[in-house]
Amino acid sequence: MRHSTRRHFIELIGSAGAVSSMAAWPIVAGGGQSAGRVVIIGGGFGGATCAKYLRRIAPAITVTLVERESSFVTCPFSNAVLGGLYDIDFITHHYDALRDAHGVEVIQDRASTIDPAAKTVALSAGSTLTYDKLVVSPGIDFQWGAIDGYDEAASEQMPHAWKAGPQTLQLRKQLEAMPNGGVVIIAAPRNPFRCPPGPYERASMIAHYLKQAKPRSKILIYDAKDTFSKRPLFEQGWKALYPGMIEWIPESEGGAIEAVDVRSMTVHPTFGDPQTGDVINMIPPQKAGAIAQVAGLAGDGGWCAVDQRTFESAVHKDIYVIGDAAVANPMPKSGFAASSQGKVCATSIAASLSGLEMPEPSYSNTCYSLVGPDYGISVAAVYRAGAEGIVSVEGAGGISPKDADTAFRSAEASYAVGWYQSITADIWG
Amino acid sequence: MQRPIHTLIITAATLAGVVIYPATADEALNRGAILSASCASCHGPEGRSPGAIPAIAGKTAEDLRVMLEDFRSGKRRSTVMGRHAKGYSDEEIQLIATHLGKQK
Ligand SMILES: Cc1cc2nc3c(=O)[nH]c(=O)nc-3n(C[C@H](O)[C@H](O)[C@H](O)COP(=O)(O)OP(=O)(O)OC[C@H]3O[C@@H](n4cnc5c(N)ncnc54)[C@H](O)[C@@H]3O)c2cc1C
């Protein structure tokens, strides 16, 4: 059936060079009306990419993006804001281009419930949207209470800064206020969590600031794991740039925090002595964003199982989950990965709404980290769809070479900034 | 779900007056397009990089194919492109080059 449709389509297009690898996307439109209505919840890395690419792949599809904020502050490069390299405007993006240049209907509101049977989304302001396909890309929410004493109120004193914006500025303010010779504690969670290299890039960027402003200070990373992303490269970079300033305490040496006391600014590891800090960046365990939980899309661990070729939910038909909220390992929970998934998902939805065959998917990721302003490192991977789901292509990807010279590290630092400018232009531009 | 396919090569302006990408073969639903999709995350929309990463717009398919193969073999030195190019077969590199070779 599907094959014959495709052949039919190619005949219709004619021979105009349109066959084989460059068969043009059919602009499927019954007499100019919409080829389908897609609602997307969340205008971050996954959702905004999916919205833009759906419109460019199949302009006849009506796309409505529901985002509760008026602008989007990226977590990528928020560590560089903490380090004083950039201000918050550099990492703030707007929805004007999606709305005006790409024909996405953008609604600023919070999606409060989903009815998968009626195929509707209720918004908190009271209106209801109907959809043919729904994409859910809400990012993360925190498991408040998983660490004794750490709830949303406590995050004012001990910021997580794991969603960028006011929390980023709060942590920066505390760093500016702390004394020279003070202690900064970063508590990193167990896997899986948003941005595996994030806590270690953060330690680097905070060290960069302290080295100039408060050189007698120390950073203690309490970790609920025994190793971490790009570890040999981070440790090498810390030794070169911030000797003696950063100490990493793995889980096996009492690194896992089980409780905090906001009043005395103390963290309590599962074993070993409590530790006080002048600044405490508590990064709690996470789960898929609330709307995914409310809609029953998330499983036991708090994340959403999907068909990894299409990103259609394993629970509800015609609902797709992408980005941090989805179970897409071996892809990490990164902005690059969320955007890559947004493109695959847009392709799969466009194909499905047109009754055409989805091409074999391909996915990619690269996470750059700044160890210093001129010292960049990266981890890359290319993925394909295997029988069991997403697999890394063997022999590809991996981390930057350990023996690279300063020119290489400095090139990767400028490419990190270049990546940021490119991906944000690709998504919100 | 099957729909009758009326293939109208609609110009952008006919779509509710919204000007978007013209319906060119570049926006194709094919493997070349999906393989090339992630390049824009580093090289910018349509390969027009706004920052430090080199632009890849305006290159011929043949130039792109040779560059990708040379990144993959290590003949061409790189910080990250070698790690990416190793993820694609000869056939996939050809599909990517053909697809992106149409970007102006
Ligand atoms: C410190 C830090 C550094 C990072 N650095 C990098 C990096 O260098 N490179 C990289 O690739 N990744 C990085 N990441 C990871 C990246 O931020 C995430 O992986 C990415 O944002 C995930 O995209 P997403 O679409 O799943 O969620 P998000 O980008 O968080 O988008 C979710 C959006 O949904 C909205 N939303 C949620 N619920 C609702 C609702 N009910 N109704 C309406 N709107 C809703 C939210 O307001 C938000 O705008 C970093 C993360 C952190 C914390």
Side-chain angles (χ1 to χ4, degrees), chain A residues 373-391:
Chain A
D374 301 311
Y375 195 121
I377 58 176
S378 62
V379 57
V382 177
Y383 309 90
R384 62 176 81 238
E388 312 283 303
I390 297 170
V391 290

Side-chain angles (χ1 to χ4, degrees), chain A residues 41-48 66-69 71-72 74-79 95 109-112 137-141 161-164 194-195 198-199 201-202 289-291 322-325 332-339 365-369 419 423 428:
Chain A
I41 300 174
F45 279 82
V66 182
E67 166 57 53
R68 66 181 161 209
E69 306 293 337
S71 58
F72 185 76
T74 66
C75 285
F77 274 71
S78 67
N79 287 330
Y95 295 101
D109 203 344
R110 186 175 62 83
S112 49
S137 190
I140 55 157
D141 270 307
W162 223 241
K163 292 184 184 184
R194 157 176 283 186
C195 195
E201 183 190 54
R202 175 164 292 173
I291 186 71
I322 55 175
D324 289 352
K333 297 191 185 301
S334 77
F336 194 125
S339 183
N365 179 61
T366 302
C367 291
Y368 281 106
S369 299
W419 163 79
I423 196 167
W428 294 281

Side-chain angles (χ1 to χ4, degrees), chain B residues 1-13:
Chain B
M1 188 188 63
Q2 298 290 332
R3 283 165 188 259
I5 298 188
H6 309 292
T7 339
L8 313 172
I9 303 298
I10 300 175
T11 55

